[in-house]
Amino acid sequence: MPGMMVTEELRTIARQLLEGELMLGGGFLPARRNPLAGPAVAASAPAAAVPVPAATQSPVAPAPAAMGRRVDLPPVEDLPQNLSPTDKAAALDAMREQAVACRGCPLGQSRMNLVFGEGDPNAELVFVGEAPGADEDASGRPFVGRAGQKLTDMIAAMGLRRDQVYICNVLKCRPPGNRTPQPAEVVQCWPFLVRQLAVIRPKVIVTLGNPATQTLLNTSIGITKLRGQWQSLPDIAPGLGGTPVMPTFHPSYILRSYTPEVRGMVWSDLKQVMERLGLKRK
Ligand code: URA
């Protein structure tokens, strides 16, 4: 009966909202008291996709005047497949050193610290954010400010710890004033992200917000349309094409729009990831 179906649907939505409340900290920070006015990320990011070169093509070079020394990474195709966890850790450490030396765009000069990424080099689950903010720039670690605490809560809600997943960003250096990454900056940093993913070979990638989602999926479709629906990673490196990608809202957006609806949507996205990875809530 149609009436019964509506009731059942309402029950499902109510259950989802309640679970989102419980798992993502609804009781701790009521929406009207949330003072955070973080960087514009999910809702207000530009709709146009950041143009991303295929990993195998040479990136479009920005104007030479704005450029310093770029690091030429070996072709990602040369990366051995089936690296052991120890080899993966070593490969990521070596790449971090190369990234420290990179002056491919002006952000390499203005940053305080490189924020390469951290976590388990053998992680099944990788979270990709946009770019370091002030706290990350100061510490050299991804997602350690208020948005980072929210991401940590999200990971804990999935029954995991931060050191059991891998966390990184599209950009490894902080854009001044936390502005949205510029296409030329994304182009310069892109080979590092591709190689990080090619080394780790996660089973699932969660993209946080518009810039990460649009960059990795090479799309101009916005996060509001894409979130909650499994996507497939384009063929950016051998063995990576087809990796399941779950786009969800950026933690900064969750904090800015701290409503039961938004928290319920994010929790429903994370539950899909848990199901895919066979994770049980503890
Ligand atoms: N926002 C991001 O996208 N990444 C961080 O590391 C911190 C805040």
Side-chain angles (χ1 to χ4, degrees):
M1 291 233 304
M4 283 177 68
M5 276 171 61
V6 171
T7 315
E8 190 45 43
E9 239 171 65
L10 284 174
R11 267 203 208 105
T12 308
I13 292 168
R15 200 170 41 239
Q16 193 167 299
L17 288 177
L18 185 64
E19 282 185 5
E21 283 285 279
L22 290 173
M23 299 312 296
L24 300 183
F28 301 112
L29 191 58
R32 65 182 186 287
R33 280 205 294 112
N34 176 10
L36 191 92
V41 182
S44 55
V50 177
V52 171
T56 46
Q57 294 165 2
S58 60
V60 181
M67 307 289 301
R69 188 162 54 87
R70 253 195 70 201
V71 166
D72 281 322
L73 293 170
V76 71
E77 290 76 10
D78 293 353
L79 199 66
Q81 302 205 7
N82 305 323
L83 290 172
S84 70
T86 314
D87 290 343
K88 288 183 178 191
L92 290 176
D93 283 347
M95 210 191 312
R96 179 195 300 270
E97 292 312 311
Q98 290 175 295
V100 167
C102 176
R103 296 291 180 274
C105 78
L107 300 187
Q109 313 274 19
S110 59
R111 71 160 191 240
M112 212 182 293
N113 283 297
L114 178 92
V115 181
F116 184 69
E118 68 179 23
D120 180 359
N122 206 33
E124 292 193 339
L125 177 57
V126 171
F127 290 88
V128 182
E130 176 180 339
D135 294 318
E136 292 75 19
D137 187 42
S139 67
R141 297 180 55 211
F143 282 98
V144 290
R146 292 198 68 196
Q149 185 52 55
K150 185 45 68 186
L151 178 62
T152 306
D153 292 347
M154 288 159 61
I155 293 168
M158 300 172 81
L160 295 169
R161 299 185 314 266
R162 277 176 70 112
D163 63 2
Q164 293 176 304
V165 301
Y166 193 85
I167 305 170
C168 61
N169 285 302
V170 172
L171 293 193
K172 312 304 182 203
C173 299
R174 181 191 183 203
N178 298 346
R179 61 159 170 70
T180 301
Q182 289 173 355
E185 295 158 357
V186 174
V187 167
Q188 291 300 310
C189 250
W190 176 244
F192 289 108
L193 180 59
V194 172
R195 280 182 76 87
Q196 275 175 309
L197 296 173
V199 167
I200 298 167
R201 294 182 163 267
K203 287 198 176 138
V204 171
I205 298 168
V206 173
T207 51
L208 302 164
N210 253 338
T213 303
Q214 295 183 332
T215 299
L216 269 179
L217 298 177
N218 197 15
T219 181
S220 58
I221 303 173
I223 186 67
T224 312
K225 285 224 175 78
L226 289 174
R227 66 138 285 275
Q229 295 178 51
W230 284 110
Q231 307 292 322
S232 199
L233 190 67
D235 197 9
I236 58 174
L240 281 185
T243 303
V245 177
M246 175 54 71
T248 196
F249 289 130
H250 191 283
S252 298
Y253 175 78
I254 305 174
L255 290 170
R256 284 203 310 278
S257 308
Y258 211 69
T259 64
E261 289 78 9
V262 168
R263 291 197 295 272
M265 284 190 270
V266 172
W267 179 231
S268 128
D269 303 346
L270 298 181
K271 278 196 300 183
Q272 290 194 67
V273 173
M274 291 169 68
E275 199 175 314
R276 189 121 196 180
L277 292 173
L279 297 172
K280 297 263 178 298
R281 239 158 64 194
K282 289 173 187 141

